[in-house]
Structure formats: C-alpha cells, structure tokens
Amino acid sequence: MIRTGSQYRDSIRDGRRVWMNGERVKDVTTHPMFKPLVDIRARMYDLQHEAALRDALTCDEGDGERHPIAHKLPLTRQDWWDKRRATDLLLEDMGGVVMRVGDESVGEMWSLFDGQDVLNELDPRFSANIRTHIRRVVRGDLFHVSANTDPKGDRSRLPQDQDPDVLLHVVKETDAGVIVRGAKYETAAAYANQAFTKPGLAHWGDAAQSEYAIGFICDLGAPGLRFICRPGLAARASAQDHPLSHRFDEVDAIVVFDDVLVPWENVLFYRHTRAAHFLRETLHRYSAFTFLQRSLKLADMLIGTALHNARQTGVEKLQAVQDRLAGLACYREGINAHLTAAIALAERSPAGLMMPNQSLLFTGRSLATSQLHHMMNTVRELCGGQVCLTPDHASFENEDTGPWLRKFYTLGPQWQADDRRKLLAYARDLLDSDHAGHRLSFQLFAQCPPYAQTAAVYRHFNWDAPLDFVGKSAGLTDRVKATQAPAQGDGAVAQWFRNHNTSD
C-alpha cells in the first residue's frame, strides 16, 4: 500500500512523549519546530498518489498493490536507476535537501538481510524476523529511521565499568520479549514510525555474547520512550530571512529507553557479538547511495548559489571566478561519477541483492564529506561579504529604510532589490547560519565519523591490482608478488564486461 499524508500524520499522533526547549510537545504535527518536516514527509506520501508521478515513485510488487520504489529490495541495476530517479523527483519537488525521510535508512535492513547466515548461527527466528520487517516496511509504507549512536560515556572503559546505561542494553528477558534500557541519538525519531536500533561501536573483546549486542525494530510510539530534542531552528526567526532553516531543519533527539519492551518478533539479533560486528561493517553498503545522492543535490545548491551571485554582480567572466566555479563543478561531477559508476558496476551481495559497487560508493562518500567544508568556503568567497552584512526582510519592507535599501540593492531591470535580498538570505542560511553549521556537522557524521568512512574505503578498494601492475612493471620477483592470480587490466573494465555478460 501507499499511505497518504493524512494517514502519516495520524500515525504519529500516538501520545509519544516529546520535549523541546524544556517543554512537553503536545502534537508534533502542529508544533512550529516540527511541522515543516512533518509537512514535507506528508507531501512525499501524497505525491505517490498523483497520476503524473505514480509510476515513477511506486511499483507493483506482484500483489496487485502499489508500494514505494524507495523501499523495494534492489534486485537489478534498473532498480537503482528507478530509486535514483524517485529521490530526484522528491528533492526537486521540495526544493531542498532532507536526509532522514525513510529511504536513506531502510537500506540498513538490507545489509542485515545479507547476513542471515550469521543470524541463523544463534537463532533462525532472527533471520525470519528481518525478512518479515523488510516486507512490513514495503507493504506498510512506514516512515523508518535508524538509531545508532549512544551517549557513549567514557570510551576508554567498558560499559560495565561505568554507568551501564551509557550504551543501550538488555536488562531482562520475558516471554513477550526483551526489556531494554539506555539511550540513542536519532534524527527525525520524534516524528517517525519506527527505528532500526542497533549497537554503535563497542568494546566486545573476545566475548561471543553480550547484553549490549542487541538489534531490533523499535516502535517509536512504544511506552517508556522519551524524545528529548535539541533546540529547533524553524520558526525562530522570519522565514524570509532563514528560508532553509524554516523548511528543512530535521530535528535530532536523544531517545531515552526507560525499560522499553521489545517483542521477540521485533528482535533481529540478541547477545550475538558476531552479528553486531557484521552489521557495523556492512551497515552502509546500500544506504550510502541515498546519502551520496543527497550530497549531490547539496552540491547543486552550492553551485546555484555561487553562480547566481557571480552573475548578479557581473563577475562571472573573470578568470579567477570561473576557476572557482569550475572547482565546484568538479566536486559535483566527482560525486555524480561515483553514483553513476556505482550502479553501472554494481555487484551481487551474499544474499543475491544488487549492491552498488562498494569501492566506488565509499570513495564517493569520502569525497563528498571530506571536501564539503572547502566547497562551502569557495561559495562563501564567491558570494562576498554582503552575505553577512545584508539587513533583514523587515528592513526592506519598512517605509523609512525600505527606499534606501531598494536604491542600493537594485542593480538594473533584471536584478531588483527583492531578488537580491532573497538570494543573499538564502546564501547566508546555506553558508553562515546555525542551520549551515548543523548541516556541515551532520554531513560529516551522519553515517559514521570520517575515520570510519576512510576505513570503509580501505576495506573495499582493490589493492591487488596496483600492486600487481607495479610488480610487473618494476620486474619484482615472485617473493614479493601481491597475488597468486595477477589482475588483467583495470578492475572497473573487467567488472563492466562481467556485468554485460549477465542478464542483470
């Protein structure tokens, strides 16, 4: 099925206990700090019913009903092209970038789908549970998010050697399920339906089992949950002066688990440290794609802002300006190339899913996150000091100050004062506001910290090919030969021909 926006809003009016700025939030669907994102998610649901977009956003899984393409298990390369098109259409419609709206985090469950043999080592019902929940997300069109990060505490010590609740853990088993206690940080949890909850990085040591090795689907309306949110950015100031903050502030929360019951049918692994290790190493093999796609759209926002500013001040033809704009284009197309090649050179996962090429996907992610702050600074330089100096919208409307501002901000018939003010306000919110700072930090850590991103690159890059090439080129002996079977040509070329000899 595909839900409507109204059905989504009703689903999160479940009495959940949410706080912001020290006050209890009665209804997240109407609260000014949450409403813009709730409205965006509701709009995404409603778009699936529009005739012009129905076939691009939904699919028939063979049961006679329509389901979101974003939630469909990827079995072919075409599935990834369909997913990419669907996400593009949604981002274009909303006119901005949102990260946690369901499609980005559902891929994490596909990673565990690939690890069913690991789950079966402890209890076969856990692999059955992951299959059930993947079907449930598809058929229920649920707003699914991800809960990864614990408060952590002192990471030089085991959790058992400090307050044991610094990491989420099981405190009791019952016939109905397990009781968990602790906390997780999560974006959008206060207005989502469920969260794939799992361990962060932990010191398992040599232990085969641990009460901290727990992965489950959490119903975000469950008793015992508390959502304590960071201060929101929407509605703090005029929407005309903060157009991005007002529409696209995705609210983060620390979600407190105060002895929450998790039914056995929602448990995906328990006490199994090998399953926890497997999941941490493979968690983003699918979800990094949608993250990277949003990074591409963020690059478009940076380029559009820079180029509009260069054109409105007449400096686009300067060679130094073109050099900076070309640098932004290289960044953008670098992300685009990794996305495109990750589909073209996709590979089969252990469970038979179609997996974006892992080396290209993770190098693309590292490129996008590691260079973002440099690109933002480039745009800041191209926009100039007026970004931080321009008065607010109210000053442009004031009968005393407005005429002066219209005089000095009008550049001719094309660039009138109102458009220049809008552009500079947009640039300020993109580059210099609280929203901009939050976005930069979020992009850097949303999937994992930078060292973990480069670790993923290290694990998936084919080191044998360059070693073999240099070994032959330098005439090295067999004593230092890298592999028993030297690579023949570039690995991407070989992968391309393998792909085109199959029917995928």
Side-chain angles (χ1 to χ4, degrees):
M1 63 167 284
I2 48 176
R3 291 203 289 184
T4 65
S6 178
Q7 288 172 324
Y8 158 62
R9 288 189 179 94
D10 288 343
S11 74
I12 56 175
R13 293 189 181 109
D14 52 12
R16 58 186 61 193
R17 305 173 75 180
V18 180
W19 282 265
M20 178 178 281
N21 297 327
E23 296 181 353
R24 177 79 180 269
V25 176
K26 295 180 180 179
D27 185 348
V28 293
T29 69
T30 59
H31 190 281
M33 296 296 183
F34 296 94
K35 187 177 184 301
L37 262 297
V38 171
D39 287 349
I40 282 178
R41 191 62 183 94
R43 169 71 174 161
M44 292 171 65
Y45 280 118
D46 287 335
L47 284 174
Q48 296 179 140
H49 295 269
E50 293 190 2
L53 295 175
R54 181 173 177 267
D55 289 340
L57 299 179
T58 68
C59 61
D60 186 343
E61 288 273 68
D63 58 0
E65 292 192 36
R66 305 299 295 185
H67 303 291
I69 279 178
H71 294 167
K72 181 181 185 292
L73 277 172
L75 301 176
T76 66
R77 292 179 189 85
Q78 186 61 47
D79 286 338
W80 283 106
W81 285 117
D82 292 343
K83 290 175 184 295
R84 184 171 177 180
R85 179 179 64 168
T87 299
D88 276 344
L89 289 170
L90 292 172
L91 295 177
E92 288 289 338
D93 180 83
M94 66 184 69
V97 174
V98 288
M99 300 298 296
R100 293 290 168 86
V101 286
D103 65 325
E104 188 265 348
S105 47
V106 71
E108 295 178 356
M109 290 202 296
W110 304 341
S111 297
L112 201 54
F113 183 87
D114 281 338
Q116 292 179 70
D117 57 333
V118 179
L119 300 181
N120 283 332
E121 291 177 2
L122 195 65
D123 193 329
R125 64 179 164 170
F126 293 151
S127 63
N129 286 352
I130 188 63
R131 294 193 300 272
T132 296
H133 278 286
I134 287 173
R135 288 193 298 270
R136 181 170 177 262
V137 168
V138 172
R139 285 165 170 72
D141 199 5
L142 301 174
F143 184 179
H144 173 94
V145 295
S146 169
N148 295 308
T149 305
D150 301 88
K152 292 187 175 65
D154 183 346
R155 283 183 277 181
S156 68
R157 301 161 60 197
L158 293 172
Q160 297 90 336
D161 297 334
Q162 51 187 309
D163 183 340
D165 297 342
V166 295
L167 296 180
L168 186 73
H169 63 118
V170 174
V171 295
K172 184 179 180 181
E173 294 183 29
T174 72
D175 291 340
V178 294
I179 307 295
V180 297
R181 184 185 301 162
K184 290 284 186 181
Y185 290 103
E186 179 46 36
T187 304
Y191 47 94
N193 295 122
Q194 67 177 36
F196 180 14
T197 309
K198 50 211 168 293
L201 302 177
H203 300 296
W204 306 115
D206 296 326
Q209 296 190 346
S210 169
E211 68 271 24
Y212 292 91
I214 174 73
F216 58 92
I217 300 298
C218 178
D219 175 0
L220 293 174
L225 290 176
R226 291 174 174 81
F227 305 84
I228 307 172
C229 302
R230 65 160 173 82
L233 303 178
R236 288 201 318 186
S238 162
Q240 289 87 353
D241 295 314
H242 296 85
L244 298 176
S245 304
H246 193 77
R247 289 185 291 162
F248 303 114
D249 179 37
E250 300 179 77
V251 180
D252 313 286
I254 180 170
V255 184
V256 177
F257 293 75
D258 184 16
D259 289 359
V260 174
L261 171 66
V262 180
W264 284 115
E265 59 267 25
N266 288 358
V267 177
L268 304 179
F269 60 87
Y270 171 43
R271 298 187 61 81
H272 194 8
T273 58
R274 195 163 98 79
H277 272 303
F278 173 85
L279 183 60
R280 291 314 312 179
E281 290 187 355
T282 64
L283 185 62
H284 300 128
R285 62 168 44 158
Y286 301 102
S287 65
F289 186 89
T290 46
F291 175 85
L292 193 56
Q293 189 173 357
R294 284 163 167 80
S295 298
L296 181 67
K297 189 59 68 176
L298 184 57
D300 285 339
M301 293 171 69
L302 292 171
I303 291 173
T305 300
L307 187 53
H308 271 307
N309 271 279
R311 287 182 173 176
Q312 57 105 1
T313 53
V315 299
E316 182 189 0
K317 296 186 183 301
L318 296 179
Q319 186 173 353
V321 172
Q322 292 179 353
D323 175 76
R324 295 302 183 90
L325 289 170
L328 292 171
C330 288
Y331 172 71
R332 193 265 183 202
E333 291 295 70
I335 297 172
N336 184 35
H338 281 87
L339 272 173
T340 303
I343 298 177
L345 302 179
E347 47 205 341
R348 283 289 169 198
S349 78
L353 303 182
M354 186 57 72
M355 186 171 62
N357 184 282
Q358 297 292 275
S359 180
L360 291 167
L361 185 62
F362 290 129
T363 51
R365 181 179 67 177
S366 186
L367 164 70
T369 56
S370 66
Q371 297 303 306
L372 177 59
H373 63 290
H374 294 299
M375 298 302 106
M376 290 177 68
N377 192 57
T378 295
V379 178
R380 192 176 291 114
E381 291 179 359
L382 288 170
C383 289
Q386 283 189 321
V387 166
C388 62
L389 299 174
T390 295
D392 61 6
H393 173 258
S395 298
F396 279 80
E397 296 298 310
N398 181 274
E399 62 180 13
D400 292 324
T401 58
W404 290 106
L405 292 174
R406 286 191 290 275
K407 171 183 173 64
F408 292 118
Y409 275 83
T410 295
L411 297 179
Q414 182 178 9
W415 280 99
Q416 297 287 307
D418 184 53
D419 278 330
R420 288 197 71 205
R421 185 207 62 76
K422 288 178 181 178
L423 177 62
L424 291 167
Y426 186 94
R428 178 168 55 202
D429 218 10
L430 181 66
L431 302 170
D432 292 339
S433 66
D434 286 350
H435 173 81
H438 177 270
R439 168 69 71 186
L440 182 59
S441 294
F442 184 90
Q443 291 293 120
L444 197 60
F445 292 98
Q447 291 220 308
C448 54
Y451 73 86
Q453 295 180 31
T454 51
V457 173
Y458 184 87
R459 288 196 305 272
H460 291 95
F461 181 75
N462 178 14
W463 299 100
D464 289 338
L467 285 172
D468 286 332
F469 184 80
V470 170
K472 288 184 289 186
S473 179
L476 301 181
T477 67
D478 289 347
R479 292 191 302 273
V480 293
K481 185 180 292 184
T483 61
Q484 294 300 314
Q488 298 296 318
D490 186 88
V493 176
Q495 181 69 38
W496 173 268
F497 281 99
R498 282 196 298 272
N499 289 351
H500 282 71
N501 287 328
T502 69
S503 58
D504 295 329

